[in-house]
Amino acid sequence: MKSHYRVVVIGGGVVGASVLYHLAKMGWSDVCLIERSVLTAGSSWHAAGGFHALNADPNIAQLQSYTIDLFDDIQEESGQNIGLHRTGGLTMAGTPDRWEWLQSAYRTFQSIGIHDCRLVTVEEALALNPIMSGDGLLGGMWADREGYIDTTGTVHAYAGAAKKRGATVIEHNRVLELNQTLQGWEVITEKGTINCEHVVNAAGLWAKQVGRMAGVELPVSPLNHHYLISDTIPQLEELDFEVPMTVDLEGFTYLRQDQKGVLLGIYEVNHQHWMMDGAPWEYGFELQQEDPDRIENELTMGFERYPCLQEVGVKTWVNGAFTFSPDGNPLVGPVPGKRGYWSACAVMAGFLQGGGVGKSLAEWMINGTPEADVYGMDVARYGIWAENKQYIKETTGQFYTRRFVMTYPNEQLPAGRPLKTAGAYADMSAAGCQWGRSWDLEVPLYFAEPGFVEAPSLKRSNAHEIVADECQAVRNGVGLLDISGFSRFEVSGPNAEKWLDRIMASKLPAPGRAKLAPMLAEDGRLKGDLTVFNWGDGTWWIMGSYYLRTWHMRWFDDHMMEGVTLRDLGEEMAGFSLAGPASLNVIEKLTDGPIADLKFMGCGSFDIGLLRCKVGRLSVAGERGYEVHCRAGDHAVLRRILLQAGADAGIREYGFNALLSLRLEKSFGIWNAEFTQGYTPGMTGMDRWIDWDKDFVGKSAAVAERDGNGPSQTLVTMEIDANGADASGFEPIWSDGVQVGFVTSGGFGHTVGKSLAMALVDPAHSRAGTEVSVHVVGVERQARIIAASPYDPDGKAMRG
Ligand SMILES: Cc1cc2nc3c(=O)[nH]c(=O)nc-3n(C[C@H](O)[C@H](O)[C@H](O)COP(=O)(O)OP(=O)(O)OC[C@H]3O[C@@H](n4cnc5c(N)ncnc54)[C@H](O)[C@@H]3O)c2cc1C
């Protein structure tokens, strides 16, 4: 065994093998995979091997699509048969809402370039899968490329193809210990020690322990999962084709053909965790005892959906474990704070997602960033709070139970909540606050009368009018919003300004001023839509999206320089925002400081009642506004005094649902919608904040975009002739039957009385007045591009 490799991948399941393959394919052949037992000896050997395209996160759906296309390549490259059966796939809907959801999911697929799908009637579906009963079904979606593979063959194909490109696979060699060194990692194995620059945790069922070897507590847990393989089904013997991979969402089952029988997999509503601290080291090719009682309901539904199962016996039961993160998506990428330690864990559907995970991780390691926007599976989307075992148990359990349950966009799920609450939480709850979750924090959505319950809906919900009233209150008077859910980083030290000037693409604000600041990656794509504050005393703040705290901190750390002190103030600071024409009247009453002189985008420290606060004059609502930041412990007092001072002006508390509507009326983009790490400054209009005269991270790529042929897409605002439902994101936009773009976010503009959306469209269709159409909840609606900022286009209200 060699004593040095550039990369050591721990784990020879489908994920580790795919990572190895992609590293070798991209030119890093000094890489080795270490497997405790033999390849496939974790979850991989007993997987059902099915692959289908659907995923709620369009970026992950794209990576799944990549994996599906990779199967032929690895089979050919390795010469290893992977038992590829491209039977096509059906996803069936059994409730009216689900059928609507599936129709919009189909449109999302079109938006992201997956075109080999089509909607089918129940009759068509029954012709495609004749052993299925159509009872209760309303329609389905067909996908050409779906099917199943032989799991062991597939892992060996990845590993074989990697070996052909120079990679090494070492079996029967457990990794015992990991020690961080100056150059990377010392990997202590049963067969000796290896030094490497990078180590990848692809240890599947043992990911928890391999994380702990590096002092990392990954939010991952195994859960048990059942499938059965039936005896031969006479009906199938008579068919001259294989039945497609079929998912019955309302029945909690998936099915594929297995020789002349079928494999029926069950997503158990009554879920069961297994070995939350990781599988025992001696665990190998054994399975858990099947437990038909636990899955009786789902089994009954499955046997009713496929009546032929009632006539034949069960040949084999499989009850095995695989791993889940709290939101069910993988945990991929560089682990914050552990240089050279990479996660490729919690890959729930390794055969479906493993290719995309391997590709992204290899690109990340070799090029510094993955090609796709992989935020949805980035290990840095969680914070330290997600290390808690009870949190992991509740959230992974919730995900598993709801795997085939439809989640509505306005639905709030209870697991792991409430976790962190701001100081005024109890008072705000008493005032009727309905809460949502951002990362670990409870954030206000809107304020309702006692007993109000919002019905889950794909369309406008019964909270629509409440949110409308809150929007009007902000536009016409003054509103109060809890902004504890913004991130705040403090930058100080002798090189603070120099560092900020390098990582932000904009000019820095003068003392006592704030400025919008795009932050770019080296490849010129966006890394943040931030606001920088210069407090004038040598300290600066960076403000952004709260849920990106770890993600941004990892980026800042990776680009740090001597002489800079950076602190995440997320646990220390909280705040409220006053917005609306009467906001000055309210805040003026509470301070003898020169608050009335504070110009738009000005900032400073003020006494606010008894409290010492930092105040910035800006608002996401597009009104005159004051963001008031206080110590976390002062939050309840700050709320009380602001409400008291605003009583005469009819101050009204509002939530983020109203803010999202108000910002849409101003065409203000937000992260994860208009701005993502997949988009560039030119596409999104962020280029208008760039200071082209200075040097900054990502400049050469940004200049290349500016001086090239221009961006391929342009961010626009649209008005939709909607009917009871608004766009939400990823809906395709059409002109004369040709797709010309997609929605980035949408909603109702309550004070302009229009259904609005922001969208990326090809530049030829970006002019105001251009008529287009857009699918909203699966229905095509007329729409048109309008000038940006339908409310107060000149910005008079916010400049005051
Ligand atoms: C019943 C069932 C059905 C499934 N059906 C499907 C399906 O249809 N489609 C699909 O895509 N997915 C399916 N899955 C999920 C799939 O099995 C997993 O997503 C996948 O196997 C995960 O692969 P992995 O490489 O991450 O982990 P694993 O397969 O668990 O591999 C991890 C490997 O790491 C090794 N290892 C761990 N620690 C060490 C160490 N210290 N030193 C050296 N080696 C170590 C282990 O021995 C193991 O081989 C199913 C799972 C189950 C249980």
Side-chain angles (χ1 to χ4, degrees):
M1 193 172 76
K2 260 178 40 164
S3 63
H4 185 277
Y5 285 93
R6 193 164 196 180
V7 184
V8 169
V9 179
I10 304 172
V14 65
V15 175
S18 168
V19 170
L20 190 77
Y21 166 72
H22 283 91
L23 286 169
K25 188 177 178 180
M26 290 176 66
W28 281 20
S29 54
D30 184 23
V31 294
C32 123
L33 182 152
I34 304 214
E35 166 53 46
R36 177 191 63 104
S37 167
V38 293
L39 292 177
T40 77
S43 295
S44 294
W45 71 272
H46 59 248
F51 53 87
H52 64 111
L54 211 59
N55 189 291
D57 180 332
N59 292 310
I60 293 188
Q62 253 168 341
L63 288 169
Q64 293 183 174
S65 177
Y66 164 80
T67 309
I68 292 175
D69 287 342
L70 191 66
F71 290 136
D72 297 295
D73 295 353
I74 55 162
Q75 180 160 260
E76 201 182 308
E77 276 190 46
S78 64
Q80 163 76 48
N81 188 323
I82 64 164
L84 181 58
H85 293 245
R86 276 198 204 281
T87 56
L90 280 171
T91 304
M92 300 306 301
T95 66
D97 278 3
R98 176 75 84 173
W99 180 219
E100 281 193 320
W101 175 85
L102 201 55
Q103 291 171 73
S104 31
Y106 163 64
R107 296 298 170 185
T108 300
F109 274 12
Q110 291 185 313
S111 281
I112 61 176
I114 299 177
H115 294 296
D116 58 347
C117 304
R118 65 176 197 274
L119 295 170
V120 291
T121 62
V122 176
E123 289 67 36
E124 286 169 311
L126 294 179
L128 291 160
N129 187 347
I131 63 165
M132 179 170 71
S133 151
D135 284 359
L137 296 178
L138 297 175
M141 186 169 72
W142 168 264
D144 290 343
R145 283 178 300 162
E146 298 187 353
Y148 66 96
I149 33 92
D150 164 40
T151 55
T152 301
T154 301
V155 177
H156 280 275
Y158 275 122
K163 283 200 276 187
K164 282 192 171 173
R165 291 174 181 272
T168 305
V169 173
I170 302 169
E171 292 179 298
H172 300 292
N173 187 24
R174 175 148 73 92
V175 171
L176 304 169
E177 200 181 313
L178 292 172
N179 300 309
Q180 196 159 17
T181 62
L182 276 179
Q183 290 75 32
W185 291 86
E186 182 187 59
V187 183
I188 311 222
T189 77
E190 286 173 334
K191 291 184 178 167
T193 298
I194 301 174
N195 279 288
C196 61
E197 290 164 38
H198 305 274
V199 66
V200 181
N201 177 352
L205 293 175
W206 295 264
K208 198 85 186 171
Q209 293 102 308
V210 173
R212 286 177 179 158
M213 286 180 194
V216 175
E217 202 62 47
L218 290 163
V220 58
S221 173
L223 281 110
N224 278 330
H225 180 69
H226 277 92
Y227 66 76
L228 63 82
I229 296 177
S230 77
D231 285 333
T232 295
I233 296 172
Q235 238 178 306
L236 290 180
E237 285 186 306
E238 285 161 25
L239 292 179
D240 59 0
F241 62 92
E242 278 195 296
V243 293
M245 168 93 199
T246 304
V247 176
D248 174 16
L249 291 167
E250 270 60 54
F252 300 94
T253 62
Y254 59 88
L255 170 134
R256 70 161 172 86
Q257 190 154 337
D258 191 88
Q259 298 178 3
K260 290 296 173 187
V262 294
L263 180 155
L264 182 77
I266 296 112
Y267 267 96
E268 304 92 335
V269 174
N270 181 10
H271 65 258
Q272 188 179 62
H273 286 86
W274 181 79
M275 301 288 168
M276 283 199 68
D277 289 310
W281 289 118
E282 60 281 5
Y283 182 75
F285 287 93
E286 54 276 48
L287 291 166
Q288 277 73 265
Q289 180 65 43
E290 71 266 21
D291 186 0
D293 288 348
R294 182 162 66 84
I295 55 172
E296 193 185 336
N297 277 345
E298 297 87 323
L299 264 186
T300 305
M301 284 192 275
F303 278 49
E304 282 168 0
R305 180 62 62 218
Y306 307 102
C308 56
L309 283 173
Q310 296 167 24
E311 313 295 328
V312 298
V314 172
K315 189 163 70 183
T316 314
W317 275 105
V318 169
N319 180 17
F322 59 143
T323 51
F324 292 81
S325 73
D327 62 10
N329 282 335
L331 298 169
V332 180
V335 173
K338 296 282 168 192
R339 193 166 291 275
Y341 186 93
W342 299 76
S343 173
C345 303
V347 187
M348 170 197 71
F351 292 89
L352 174 62
Q353 301 173 327
V357 167
K359 173 179 186 282
S360 300
L361 196 115
E363 288 167 348
W364 213 329
M365 204 179 278
I366 295 171
N367 303 333
T369 185
E371 184 191 353
D373 173 10
V374 295
Y375 177 76
M377 62 181 190
D378 193 328
V379 64
R381 72 187 182 279
Y382 289 102
I384 196 165
W385 40 273
E387 295 178 359
N388 176 282
K389 199 165 172 179
Q390 182 65 21
Y391 176 85
I392 296 170
K393 186 164 193 188
E394 285 184 27
T395 51
T396 53
Q398 174 176 272
F399 176 83
Y400 190 96
T401 287
R402 297 181 59 87
R403 173 84 173 98
F404 282 0
V405 175
M406 191 169 132
T407 300
Y408 293 84
N410 67 333
E411 203 171 355
Q412 293 298 319
L413 302 181
R417 295 178 59 194
L419 198 54
K420 181 178 165 190
T421 56
Y425 176 80
D427 294 347
M428 289 168 69
S429 298
C433 185
Q434 303 274 321
W435 297 96
R437 184 186 62 86
S438 171
W439 220 43
D440 59 343
L441 179 71
E442 295 295 310
V443 293
L445 299 178
Y446 55 88
F447 290 75
E449 292 298 320
F452 176 82
V453 178
E454 183 173 353
S457 174
L458 292 169
K459 301 177 181 167
R460 290 176 201 153
S461 80
N462 53 334
H464 188 74
E465 292 308 322
I466 297 173
V467 175
D469 287 351
E470 290 183 1
C471 290
Q472 294 293 354
V474 173
R475 291 270 185 257
N476 300 319
V478 56
L480 184 70
L481 175 72
D482 171 13
I483 54 164
S484 304
F486 290 175
S487 71
R488 300 161 176 88
F489 297 92
E490 183 193 76
V491 190
S492 59
N495 283 336
E497 184 168 355
K498 190 171 162 196
W499 178 70
L500 280 167
D501 203 38
R502 169 135 187 82
I503 61 158
M504 300 296 170
S506 67
K507 265 197 176 65
L508 292 185
R513 304 283 302 159
K515 203 167 186 69
L516 297 180
M519 185 166 72
L520 309 187
E522 283 80 358
D523 65 7
R525 294 185 296 173
L526 297 174
K527 208 69 200 179
D529 58 334
L530 302 158
T531 308
V532 175
F533 292 74
N534 181 350
W535 297 109
D537 59 358
T539 59
W540 305 70
W541 273 16
I542 304 170
M543 276 184 68
S545 304
Y546 181 87
Y547 66 93
L548 299 177
R549 276 171 57 192
T550 306
W551 190 75
H552 271 146
M553 199 55 159
R554 182 180 64 192
W555 179 260
F556 296 147
D557 278 345
D558 285 349
H559 294 79
M560 207 14 92
M561 103 183 10
E562 286 286 310
V564 180
T565 305
L566 177 70
R567 288 198 311 130
D568 177 355
L569 304 180
E571 305 308 316
E572 291 171 38
M573 302 294 296
F576 281 95
S577 161
L578 284 171
S583 55
L584 176 61
N585 307 353
V586 177
I587 200 162
E588 237 176 5
K589 288 187 194 165
L590 292 167
T591 185
D592 64 355
I595 198 100
D597 298 339
L598 202 61
K599 294 207 164 50
F600 177 60
M601 299 304 279
C603 65
S605 295
F606 290 84
D607 288 342
I608 302 291
L610 271 179
L611 308 176
R612 187 72 182 153
C613 298
K614 287 192 183 298
V615 180
R617 209 201 120 182
L618 62 163
S619 86
V620 183
E623 293 295 330
R624 178 187 268 270
Y626 298 87
E627 289 179 351
V628 186
H629 310 279
C630 62
R631 296 181 303 172
D634 294 339
H635 193 238
V637 171
L638 179 61
R639 172 179 178 272
R640 199 156 57 238
I641 59 178
L642 289 169
L643 284 178
Q644 274 165 5
D648 293 347
I651 191 167
R652 173 148 182 184
E653 276 191 282
Y654 69 107
F656 279 89
N657 286 12
L659 188 70
L660 286 176
S661 165
L662 295 165
R663 69 93 197 171
L664 209 48
E665 294 180 337
K666 287 294 301 165
S667 303
F668 290 161
I670 53 170
W671 194 263
N672 219 18
E674 286 68 44
F675 311 129
T676 76
Q677 56 184 335
Y679 305 156
T680 63
M683 290 165 76
T684 55
M686 273 287 189
D687 52 350
R688 89 189 103 127
W689 306 108
I690 290 181
D691 176 7
W692 298 103
D693 295 332
K694 71 170 198 179
D695 196 22
F696 56 87
V697 175
K699 181 172 180 182
S700 52
V703 168
E705 181 188 46
R706 184 194 64 182
D707 298 345
N709 297 329
S712 55
Q713 285 169 306
T714 306
L715 188 64
V716 296
T717 304
M718 284 171 34
E719 175 190 344
I720 302 173
D721 298 341
N723 186 6
D726 303 299
S728 57
F730 284 107
E731 292 88 348
I733 297 168
W734 309 93
S735 172
D736 295 329
V738 177
Q739 196 191 321
V740 296
F742 65 94
V743 170
T744 50
S745 68
F748 195 73
H750 289 282
T751 76
V752 297
K754 290 176 177 169
S755 181
L756 299 173
M758 293 180 76
L760 282 166
V761 296
D762 76 50
H765 291 83
S766 62
R767 222 170 326 105
T770 306
E771 288 288 329
V772 289
S773 67
V774 57
H775 276 90
V776 178
V777 196
V779 180
E780 191 167 0
R781 304 277 178 201
Q782 207 50 42
R784 66 210 52 85
I785 313 296
I786 57 172
S789 190
Y791 171 75
D792 186 24
D794 299 327
K796 287 190 181 123
M798 60 188 185
R799 287 188 173 78

